[in-house]
């Protein structure tokens, strides 16, 4: 007769016996975490920069049939809220704590040396995967992360705040805030990888992410079909770049010709019909920053309509690949016992500016968009040759029926779509729930329905209190009372607070960009004590959301006592959640000195064959003298390929050999490319190939121009090439990193060579020597950071 299997909790005393031999001994095994029988799988889908009025499930005109399917088979929560920004919302979703409490007052790139702002995400704030692993779940993360300080995203680590360091067992995606959909900056577990295919072979990031999500689930299911899983599925869509194959755009051609004013009317009517807004809701008024559609030129209308056609195609394609994952879960018989939660991380994004942009990097290099620049690429808008973003007119429309957008704490920035699908756990289907929810409520709700108590410790670390509340009762009862009664908001000094149907807002820099300028503090202006006193005295607004859900009527004058109550409540909540000090999106964030993995240096030594360097950790080469020296061994038959590459086709620089000539290209953000070619062939044997970049005048950064420069090419110290650049990139080439011996990510000049174009000769190393002082324009650099959320 078989002996029973005896187990015991790890860390407790061995309960078996140990004799001199097996004959006199009895075994016992350390217990492995086991999920409760029948525990549901969990899929959390986090869309990026998708507004309340964009998905068809929320009345929008972007057709998303797979998300519609989840909504029809589940519930739409019409009163779900986020932080107004990317990294902070993701932190709330994963920890159940407010974003300041966990140190993410803003995106990771804009950290400050205060607990609310330091972006370190302490381990006392346990994440959902860290909890579920201890309860027998597999945990998978696919897509965007953006929760690691950028200084820690190099191959030197530390890796404890990468996905695998925070409880996920497998990861495939990108660590930063955005990436090229055709040439992404990919990380697999803890190392960089390149896509398995090229765009010409049909590559797109959305398809790749879905493939890996399916692979992760399939691998685990094959080996342990009864083991539940958590899948964190975070798309790059609809963040810029809005890149998608033409066949997905074609069905939307002509759909947006009526413009953003008409879009809002149509979508608002659909939202009212769906019951997303209560009877009597008014559509918010025209935004002061957005021009009326009927006052635009025909040329402008054509460009703007195309921008939205491409965005809609991007969301439709994203939805298709989400559908593939859902279909696979159904195929293995697990869909009925799977909780699917789909949310967006903030409102629609206005980072394309007034006109939209062919290349997002233009915006954070302070290069003014021109209609002719957009017209030049209108026929390839959304292709791999654009890094595109739509006009903020579509942002305003995408947040229908609310006012404003991402980064601001009006409802357009913080009220987002939320779908919950769980056939075995919800009482109704195709219904709307109106309970007030916030991103911090997702984790406690999941723990509640799983019957898991929040842990007092995780891996020996005492845990902070979870600040969200469960909305599990609302899954089964449409009349369940609100449990989340009070919620503060703060993003770059834009503040608000909700309390039992009332909301007070203190907008900063103002109710709109234009009004911020009128008040003397345009976006990015630091909040001083004097400015804060003025805001406190004069700028608070009050809205009764029970009768005015779209924040159309400021009733501060009619209810001064209520406004005073909410102002005081904001300060109490800010103190409780550690939200101070208040900091705008200004240069104080940029100038903050931050810890780094290594000490500052002026000489970088790179070797071929290794991992690329993330853009945040790559040496800053703009507006400063520098040299690049490659130590090569050229065979008798010659060799060609990339020696060093930084950036991509949307902006960058590269030193390479082609047609037996050393060459240097400086890509001015796809508007200009300057190439310097050596006059003499590359010598055979062991040699030094060198490029020197010497500024010859001042940078005009506020005009969008970096320093002019002279570029010289050398063989073993002898000059063989010269070129004069009239201007250069002023701030940054973008968000693509640096690679040695190949173009790891993409070609800086696709007309000259295709990536990876690995160097075919011997390459010992490449040395970058920074000999000049870095010119930094704080305003331009801040704009760059803000555009990567």
């Amino acid at each position: 007769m078989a002996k029973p299997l005896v187990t015991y909790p790890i860390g407790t005393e061995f309960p078996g016996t140990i004799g001199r031999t097996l004959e006199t001994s009895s075994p016992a095994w350390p217990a492995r975490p086991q999920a409760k029988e029948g525990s549901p799988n969990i899929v959390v889908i986090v869309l990026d920069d998708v507004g309340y009025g964009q998905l068809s499930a929320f009345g929008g005109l972007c057709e998303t049939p797979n998300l519609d399917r989840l909504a029809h088979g589940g519930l739409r929560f019409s009163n779900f809220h986020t932080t107004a920004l990317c990294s902070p919302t993701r932190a709330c979703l994963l920890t159940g704590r407010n974003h300041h409490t966990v140190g993410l007052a803003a995106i990771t790139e804009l950290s400050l040396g205060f607990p609310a702002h330091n972006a370190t995400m302490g381990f006392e704030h346990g994440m959902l995967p860290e909890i579920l692993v201890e309860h027998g779940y597999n945990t998978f993360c696919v897509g965007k992360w953006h929760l690691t300080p950028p200084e820690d995203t190099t191959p030197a680590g530390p890796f404890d705040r990468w996905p695998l360091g925070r409880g996920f067992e497998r990861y495939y995606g990108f660590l930063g805030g955005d990436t090229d959909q055709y040439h992404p900056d990919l990380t697999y577990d803890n190392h960089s990888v390149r896509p398995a295919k090229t765009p010409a072979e049909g590559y797109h990031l959305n398809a790749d992410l879905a493939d890996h999500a399916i692979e992760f689930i399939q691998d685990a299911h094959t080996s342990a079909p009864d083991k539940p899983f958590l899948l964190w599925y975070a798309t790059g869509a609809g963040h810029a770049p809005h890149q998608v194959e033409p066949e997905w755009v074609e069905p939307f051609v002509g759909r947006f010709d009526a413009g953003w004013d008409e879009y809002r009317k149509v979508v608002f009517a659909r939202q009212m019909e769906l019951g997303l807004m209560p009877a009597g809701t008014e559509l918010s008024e025209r935004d002061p920053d957005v021009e009326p559609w009927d006052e635009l030129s025909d040329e402008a209308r054509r460009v703007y309509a195309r921008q939205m056609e491409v965005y809609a195609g991007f969301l439709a394609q994203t939805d298709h690949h989400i559908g593939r994952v859902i279909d696979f879960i159904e195929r293995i018989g697990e869909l009925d016992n799977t909780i699917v939660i789909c949310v967006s991380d903030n409102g629609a994004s206005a980072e394309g500016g007034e006109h939209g942009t062919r290349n997002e990097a233009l915006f954070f290099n302070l290069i003014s968009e021109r209609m002719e620049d957009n017209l030049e690429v209108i026929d390839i808008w959304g292709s791999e040759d654009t890094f595109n973003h739509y006009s903020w007119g579509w942002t305003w429309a995408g947040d229908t029926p609310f006012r404003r957008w991402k980064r601001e704490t009006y409802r357009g920035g913080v009220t987002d779509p939320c779908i919950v699908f769980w056939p075995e756990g919800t009482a109704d289907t195709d219904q709307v729930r109106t309970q007030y929810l916030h991103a911090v409520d997702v984790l406690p709700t999941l723990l509640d329905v799983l019957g898991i108590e929040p842990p007092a410790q995780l891996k020996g670390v005492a845990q902070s209190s979870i600040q969200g509340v469960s909305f599990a009762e609302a899954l089964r009862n449409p009349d369940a009372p609100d449990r989340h009664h009070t919620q503060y908001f703060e993003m770059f000094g834009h503040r608000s607070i909700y309390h039992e149907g009332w909301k007070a807002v203190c907008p900063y820099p103002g109710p709109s960009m234009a009004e911020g300028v009128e008040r003397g503090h345009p976006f990015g202006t630091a909040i001083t004590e004097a400015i804060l006193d003025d805001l406190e005295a004069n700028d608070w607004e009050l809205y009764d959301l029970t009768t005015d859900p779209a924040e159309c009527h400021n009733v501060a004058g009619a209810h001064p006592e209520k406004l005073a109550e909410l102002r005081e409540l904001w300060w109490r909540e800010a103190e409780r959640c550690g939200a101070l000090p208040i900091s705008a999106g200004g240069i104080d964030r940029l100038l903050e000195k931050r810890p780094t993995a290594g000490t500052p240096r002026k000489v970088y030594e790179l070797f071929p064959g290794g991992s690329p360097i993330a853009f945040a950790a790559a040496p800053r080469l703009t507006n400063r003298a520098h040299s690049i020296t490659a130590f090569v061994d050229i065979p008798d038959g010659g060799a060609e390929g990339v020696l060093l590459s930084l950036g991509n086709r949307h902006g960058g620089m590269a030193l390479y050999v082609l047609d037996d000539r050393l060459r240097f290209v400086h890509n001015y953000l796809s508007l200009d490319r300057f190439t310097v070619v050596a006059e003499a062939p590359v010598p055979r044997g062991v040699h030094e190939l060198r490029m020197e970049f010497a500024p010859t005048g001042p940078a005009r950064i506020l005009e969008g121009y970096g320093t002019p420069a002279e570029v010289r090419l050398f063989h073993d110290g002898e000059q063989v090439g010269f070129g004069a650049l009239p201007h250069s990139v002023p701030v940054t080439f973008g968000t693509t990193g640096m690679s040695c011996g190949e173009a790891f990510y993409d070609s800086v000049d696709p007309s000259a060579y295709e990536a990876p174009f690995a160097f075919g000769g011997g390459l010992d190393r490449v040395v970058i020597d920074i000999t000049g002082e870095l010119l930094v324009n704080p305003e331009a650099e801040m704009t760059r950071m803000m555009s990567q959320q």
Side-chain angles (χ1 to χ4, degrees):
M1 182 175 179
K3 295 181 180 179
L5 183 69
V6 178
T7 63
Y8 62 98
I10 294 175
T12 62
E13 186 177 351
F14 175 69
T17 58
I18 301 175
R20 294 195 305 167
T21 66
L22 289 178
E23 181 183 14
T24 57
S25 304
S26 59
W29 295 87
R32 297 182 178 182
Q34 294 286 333
K36 296 178 183 177
E37 185 176 354
S39 293
N41 309 301
I42 299 168
V43 177
V44 181
I45 302 168
V46 185
L47 302 172
D48 200 336
D49 290 0
V50 174
Y52 192 88
Q54 291 181 326
L55 302 177
S56 50
F58 276 72
L61 303 185
C62 301
E63 295 175 2
T64 50
N66 290 289
L67 294 181
D68 288 351
R69 173 191 176 191
L70 297 178
H72 292 319
L75 303 171
R76 276 167 285 204
F77 283 86
S78 64
N79 211 2
F80 174 80
H81 297 81
T82 61
T83 68
L85 206 64
C86 163
S87 302
T89 292
R90 292 160 198 266
C92 292
L93 290 167
L94 281 166
T95 68
R97 286 88 165 176
N98 283 291
H99 59 303
H100 294 93
T101 299
V102 300
L104 275 167
I107 57 172
T108 57
E109 292 86 352
L110 296 178
S111 57
L112 295 169
F114 303 95
H117 302 265
N118 62 28
T120 57
M121 292 281 286
F123 298 105
E124 69 274 19
H125 311 304
M127 288 190 177
L128 180 63
E130 294 174 302
I131 297 171
L132 294 189
V133 159
E134 300 293 327
H135 288 269
Y137 271 72
N138 280 131
T139 55
F140 313 131
C141 181
V142 171
K144 176 173 173 175
W145 180 240
H146 210 194
L147 292 171
T148 303
E151 298 83 9
D152 294 348
T153 59
T154 76
F159 299 100
D160 53 358
R161 288 180 173 84
W162 292 34
L164 267 58
R166 294 307 309 248
F168 287 108
E169 297 171 312
R170 302 188 72 179
Y171 173 63
Y172 185 86
F174 56 102
L175 294 175
D178 68 5
T179 196
D180 194 302
Q181 295 285 314
Y182 290 111
H183 303 278
D185 181 357
L186 289 173
T187 296
Y188 201 144
D189 293 338
N190 283 351
H191 65 281
S192 294
V193 295
R194 61 165 53 94
K197 297 189 295 186
T198 67
E201 294 168 331
Y203 182 82
H204 192 283
L205 179 59
N206 267 333
D208 197 11
L209 296 180
D211 289 345
H212 279 83
I214 292 169
E215 176 190 334
F216 291 172
I217 295 169
Q218 177 177 280
D219 287 352
H221 183 78
T222 299
S223 298
D226 294 332
K227 189 173 184 179
F229 64 84
L230 163 68
L231 171 65
W232 176 266
Y233 189 100
T235 67
H239 197 292
H242 304 156
Q243 296 168 318
V244 68
E245 304 94 338
E247 58 266 29
W248 287 100
V249 180
E250 184 62 30
F252 293 98
V253 171
R255 297 272 193 99
F256 304 103
D257 288 354
W260 41 62
D261 296 284
E262 184 63 23
Y263 179 101
R264 295 184 80 235
K265 294 176 185 176
V266 171
V267 169
F268 180 57
R270 289 165 55 124
Q271 291 172 333
M272 295 299 291
E273 184 178 348
L274 287 169
L276 294 167
M277 292 291 117
T281 299
E282 298 176 51
L283 180 62
S284 58
E285 295 182 354
R286 158 167 306 286
D287 192 284
D289 291 327
V290 178
E291 282 193 80
W293 186 265
D294 59 10
E295 295 180 11
L296 298 171
S297 67
D298 291 342
E299 192 175 70
R301 292 180 192 176
R302 177 187 169 214
V303 170
Y304 296 150
R306 184 60 176 173
Q307 292 172 355
M308 189 60 196
E309 291 167 2
V310 170
Y311 180 81
F314 188 30
L315 284 192
Q317 185 248 34
T318 303
D319 175 83
H320 166 77
H321 291 295
I322 290 172
R324 291 176 51 222
V325 177
I326 300 301
D327 288 346
F328 181 78
I329 296 172
E330 184 174 39
R331 177 184 167 193
I332 62 175
E334 291 289 333
L335 187 58
D336 284 350
N337 193 35
T338 297
I339 304 170
V340 183
I341 299 176
C342 179
V343 299
S344 177
D345 60 356
N346 43 246
S349 166
E351 286 143 10
E354 181 181 358
H355 302 299
T357 178
R358 61 181 282 175
N359 181 0
E360 187 186 45
L362 298 178
F363 179 67
F364 48 75
N365 278 281
L366 300 185
I367 299 174
S368 299
E369 281 291 351
R370 299 177 302 177
M371 189 61 68
E372 53 264 37
D373 292 331
N374 289 339
L375 274 170
E376 187 177 277
V377 295
I378 193 67
D379 292 333
I380 58 169
W381 198 270
S383 74
E384 65 176 321
D385 291 317
T386 62
F387 205 94
N388 51 307
H389 198 307
Y390 55 26
S391 163
W392 65 24
W394 291 117
T395 311
W396 171 61
D399 288 326
T400 301
F402 307 123
R403 60 191 297 181
R404 299 306 285 173
W405 43 56
K406 173 182 177 180
R407 300 191 308 207
E408 301 181 15
T409 67
Y410 289 115
R411 293 197 71 184
V414 301
T415 305
D416 294 288
C418 174
I419 299 169
V420 178
F421 172 92
W422 185 21
E424 294 186 359
T426 55
D428 304 312
T429 59
D430 201 15
Q431 297 294 308
V432 173
R433 295 286 196 265
T434 60
Q435 287 84 359
Y436 190 95
L437 310 181
H438 188 272
V440 295
D441 300 330
V442 170
L443 179 140
T445 301
L446 290 171
L447 296 186
D448 189 359
V449 300
L450 296 178
I452 296 174
E453 289 292 326
Q457 287 192 341
L458 275 174
K459 294 185 177 179
V461 178
Q463 294 295 286
S464 64
S465 298
I466 290 176
Q467 294 166 329
V469 295
S470 172
F471 58 89
E473 184 181 353
L475 299 177
R476 294 188 177 276
N477 179 11
D479 299 319
D482 281 4
R483 298 193 63 226
H484 198 131
H485 301 289
T486 304
Q487 180 61 46
Y488 83 100
F489 298 89
E490 189 278 330
M491 189 55 61
F492 301 125
H494 201 293
R495 294 175 290 151
S496 62
I497 187 162
Y498 167 86
H499 181 67
E500 296 181 345
W502 291 90
K503 185 178 176 186
V505 184
C506 187
Y508 187 79
S512 66
M513 297 290 188
E515 290 164 287
V517 172
E518 290 174 6
R519 296 179 186 207
H521 35 69
F523 184 80
T525 304
I527 298 179
T528 63
E529 290 290 338
I531 288 177
L532 183 59
D533 287 343
D534 183 57
L535 294 172
E536 285 295 295
N538 301 304
D539 283 44
W540 279 97
E541 304 165 358
L542 181 67
Y543 300 94
D544 181 356
L545 298 187
T546 62
T547 60
D548 180 23
E551 300 171 330
C552 296
H553 303 289
N554 176 12
V555 295
H559 300 278
E561 297 85 0
K562 177 59 69 174
L563 179 60
E565 173 191 336
L566 274 107
R567 283 176 52 197
E568 181 183 348
L569 184 57
W570 187 92
W571 285 100
R572 289 206 307 270
E573 287 296 291
E575 182 72 22
R576 182 179 71 88
C577 297
L580 301 178
I582 299 170
S583 174
I587 63 173
D588 52 342
R589 291 183 175 275
L590 169 67
L591 299 177
E592 184 84 353
K593 291 185 178 180
R594 301 178 177 90
T596 59
T599 57
R601 52 185 167 148
K602 289 196 173 184
V603 177
Y604 296 77
E605 196 170 50
L606 286 74
F607 300 90
S611 296
I613 301 175
F615 81 95
R620 292 290 305 279
L621 302 180
T622 53
N623 302 319
R624 70 191 315 171
H626 61 273
S627 66
I628 300 170
T629 305
F631 296 84
V632 302
D633 187 352
I634 307 296
D636 290 342
E640 62 182 19
V642 169
L643 300 168
L644 187 76
S645 179
L646 172 61
N648 58 18
R649 70 186 61 210
H650 309 295
M653 51 74 55
L655 184 66
Y656 63 102
V657 178
L658 178 65
D659 295 333
D660 212 23
R661 296 293 191 275
L662 180 63
R663 300 166 187 255
F664 174 79
V665 60
H666 183 99
N667 182 336
Y668 180 73
L669 305 173
S670 73
L671 298 179
D672 294 309
R673 287 195 186 97
F674 306 112
T675 302
V676 181
V677 182
E679 298 172 355
V682 175
R684 276 38 176 176
V686 177
H687 298 279
E688 294 181 13
L689 307 182
R690 179 180 176 89
M691 184 281 300
E692 290 185 354
F693 182 99
T696 56
R700 294 176 290 143
I701 294 178
L702 295 181
E703 300 173 39
Y705 294 109
T707 178
E710 292 179 348
V711 172
R712 290 178 167 81
L713 302 179
F714 299 86
H715 296 162
D716 299 318
E718 180 181 349
Q719 183 172 316
V720 293
F722 173 84
L725 277 58
H727 51 262
S728 58
V729 171
V731 181
T732 179
F733 292 116
T735 60
T736 301
M738 175 179 285
S739 53
C740 177
E742 62 178 344
F744 187 89
Y745 302 103
D746 186 21
S747 173
V748 173
D749 185 358
S751 68
Y753 63 90
E754 293 184 2
F757 198 42
F759 186 66
L763 177 59
D764 180 69
R765 66 193 186 279
V766 173
V767 175
I768 302 172
D769 186 357
I770 301 171
T771 58
E773 293 300 320
L774 178 62
L775 302 178
V776 174
N777 179 277
E779 181 179 344
E781 182 70 3
M782 189 65 208
T783 305
R784 177 185 75 84
M785 290 292 193
M786 294 298 299
S787 299
Q788 292 165 6
Q789 304 162 69

